[in-house]
Amino acid sequence: MNASKQYIKQHQDRFINELIELLKIPSVSADPAFKDDVIRTAKAVKNSLEHAGCTHTEICETPGYPVVYGERIIDKELPTILVYGHYDVQPPDPINLWDSPAFEPVIKKTDLHPEGAIFARGACDDKGQMYMHVKALEYMVENDDLPCNVKFMIEGEEEVGSENLGWFIKRNQEKLANDVILISDTGMIAKDVPSITTGLRGLSYVEVEVTGPNRDLHSGLYGGAVANPINVLTKMIASLHDENKHITVPGFYDKVEELTKAEREKMGEAPFDLQKYKDAIGLNDVYGEEGFSTHERASIRPTLDVNGIWGGYIGEGAKTVIPSKAYAKISMRLVPNQDWEEITDLFQKHFESIAPSGVTVEVKPHHGGQGYVTPIEGIEYQAANDAYKEVFGKDPIPQRSGGSIPIVSMFEEQLQSKTILMGFGLDTDAIHSPNEHFGIWNYLKGIETIPFFYKHFTKLKTQ
Ligand code: BES
Ligand code: MN
Ligand code: MN
């Protein structure tokens, strides 16, 4: 047994219990009611970094929630790895669909996690995956096995768009200077199929508001004679896709990176079981853009989805009313070369242009970010590849993910460094959903693999 495996085995119960304690704090960044808990979590993360061996730790204030910073600089001549993660979590809603309370972590066995999985909001996204790095550092420090410098930047606003992280990075370029950024906030294909995420989609998030009459009206007295904002909004939304499920916003696809046939064929080699995919989410069929596979639709193609829609009377019983207003929240997932601000602009112009007379339409841009692709030719990828190979006994598969971590493209812009995404979650871990969980096997495997990245990256960088 190698040294790290042995150390992990010896300390695994404590590693699990420490994570459980962190998961008990409800660090929901979206809801101001949890403000004290979010700040309490930042302090807990700072403490854990200190205990793991950071020689300097700090809670850095921003206009929003603080960034937790930690470092262990062993030799200025050696490379520096910057670990990024987030300590905030998604709201637990809908809470009645959880089998056990979201912030009372429990370990349960599942088909895919026979060794047990920790069920709690944030277990996988991202407290569990972030904490793997803290424990990997502890191992390296305790065993005199840290080959390079390390910095941690753990933020508290990822789930609400990282709106102040750009502000923080711009003011702390020197402090954050690094040779590579390492993140565990994505997934892997399967426990026996190691993979490295090489792409993230960009995002444009908007809210739309359709206004008809200046007050809610009696639907008998006025019905049929005035535009109903909900009828209008749903029709406008329906028109945003054509019969081939292409998005109809003019210019939307102009800059989309088209993969070559060879690249698509290579992608198609990654194991993907359509039946299992459907079964896992209870579907009788899949749906999506003509001419692309499910795997492609969810990774290399852009999307437009309504995330929420409301208006009118939704209380008990019936109320005959034509509402004054209707609303929707819409997200567009973007692929390389699409610029999120440009897409937001195109959407706004188009949506306003299709509004019929009788209503007014307002589009309010929320947040967004660019997509990202990690080159597989660089030493960063090579180091990650070698790390997985050493632990899993085979080369990992590069895979593009459909999710977004908008700050990654900003890292490259501001800090001139590449990001390596070593994710250990499974798609079935239910991140953002009720019953989110993280496999104990995955957690420990992550802790085991991370030090090998340090080793191989340092070797490749200094040779
Ligand atoms: N960790 C996720 C992103 C993710 C998950 C990427 C799995 C790839 C695989 C992250 O916390 C997240 O949820 N991001 C948001 C974007 C953000 C602006 C709210 C997303 O993708 O919806
Ligand atoms: Mn995350
Ligand atoms: Mn998330």
Side-chain angles (χ1 to χ4, degrees), residues 166-401:
W167 178 96
F168 179 77
I169 295 170
K170 282 187 196 123
R171 279 165 184 73
N172 291 282
Q173 305 241 353
E174 209 162 303
K175 179 184 211 140
L176 301 174
N178 66 80
D179 295 283
V180 66
I181 294 166
L182 181 60
I183 304 180
S184 295
D185 193 22
T186 55
M188 64 193 292
I189 294 177
K191 285 161 80 174
D192 56 347
V193 188
S195 53
I196 298 173
T197 304
T198 51
L200 293 164
R201 286 197 282 197
L203 179 71
S204 161
Y205 202 102
V206 298
E207 190 167 321
V208 298
E209 180 181 320
V210 176
T211 307
N214 60 7
R215 59 182 167 87
D216 288 8
L217 301 173
H218 189 288
S219 69
L221 291 181
Y222 289 92
V226 300
N228 176 326
I230 299 181
N231 296 17
V232 169
L233 174 61
T234 51
K235 192 164 176 195
M236 288 170 74
I237 287 172
S239 78
L240 296 174
H241 291 91
D242 69 13
E243 65 285 2
N244 294 319
K245 286 95 173 176
H246 276 98
I247 295 154
T248 57
V249 176
F252 189 86
Y253 291 98
D254 284 2
K255 296 194 175 158
V256 166
E257 172 203 47
E258 301 285 346
L259 270 62
T260 62
K261 199 161 163 271
E263 285 173 309
R264 288 179 67 187
E265 271 167 17
K266 184 99 193 96
M267 253 188 91
E269 287 169 17
F272 180 78
D273 186 325
L274 190 60
Q275 193 57 46
K276 274 200 190 137
Y277 178 86
K278 289 193 285 189
D279 288 348
I281 46 178
L283 289 179
N284 59 20
D285 205 357
V286 290
Y287 181 99
E289 188 181 3
E290 204 84 349
F292 294 93
S293 69
T294 293
H295 183 204
E296 290 172 334
R297 289 168 180 165
S299 60
I300 58 161
R301 298 299 296 168
T303 67
L304 186 157
D305 276 298
V306 178
N307 293 236
I309 183 163
W310 70 103
Y313 183 69
I314 50 166
E316 283 294 313
K319 181 184 182 210
T320 49
V321 65
I322 292 180
S324 165
K325 286 178 184 288
Y327 307 83
K329 292 184 194 277
I330 296 174
S331 68
M332 289 166 273
R333 295 282 170 175
L334 310 175
V335 296
N337 305 337
Q338 282 183 297
D339 177 77
W340 79 271
E341 283 172 315
E342 191 179 328
I343 292 290
T344 306
D345 231 38
L346 290 175
F347 176 88
Q348 179 157 13
K349 289 206 176 75
H350 176 66
F351 207 70
E352 286 167 359
S353 79
I354 59 173
S357 59
V359 299
T360 55
V361 166
E362 202 187 334
V363 176
K364 296 179 208 162
H366 268 250
H367 53 266
Q370 317 293 27
Y372 185 74
V373 177
T374 307
I376 60 172
E377 297 81 21
I379 60 161
E380 302 86 3
Y381 186 89
Q382 187 62 46
N385 187 94
D386 295 351
Y388 280 95
K389 187 150 193 186
E390 208 158 330
V391 173
F392 289 79
K394 52 183 156 185
D395 282 320
I397 297 177
Q399 73 155 348
R400 297 241 199 140
S401 169

Side-chain angles (χ1 to χ4, degrees), residues 426-456:
L426 301 181
D427 282 353
T428 45
D429 286 348
I431 61 171
H432 293 207
S433 300
N435 303 314
E436 174 178 353
H437 55 280
F438 190 34
I440 286 173
W441 184 91
N442 300 67
Y443 177 54
L444 300 176
K445 215 62 183 170
I447 300 172
E448 187 186 340
T449 312
I450 290 163
F452 287 102
F453 176 79
Y454 281 59
K455 177 179 115 180
H456 288 290

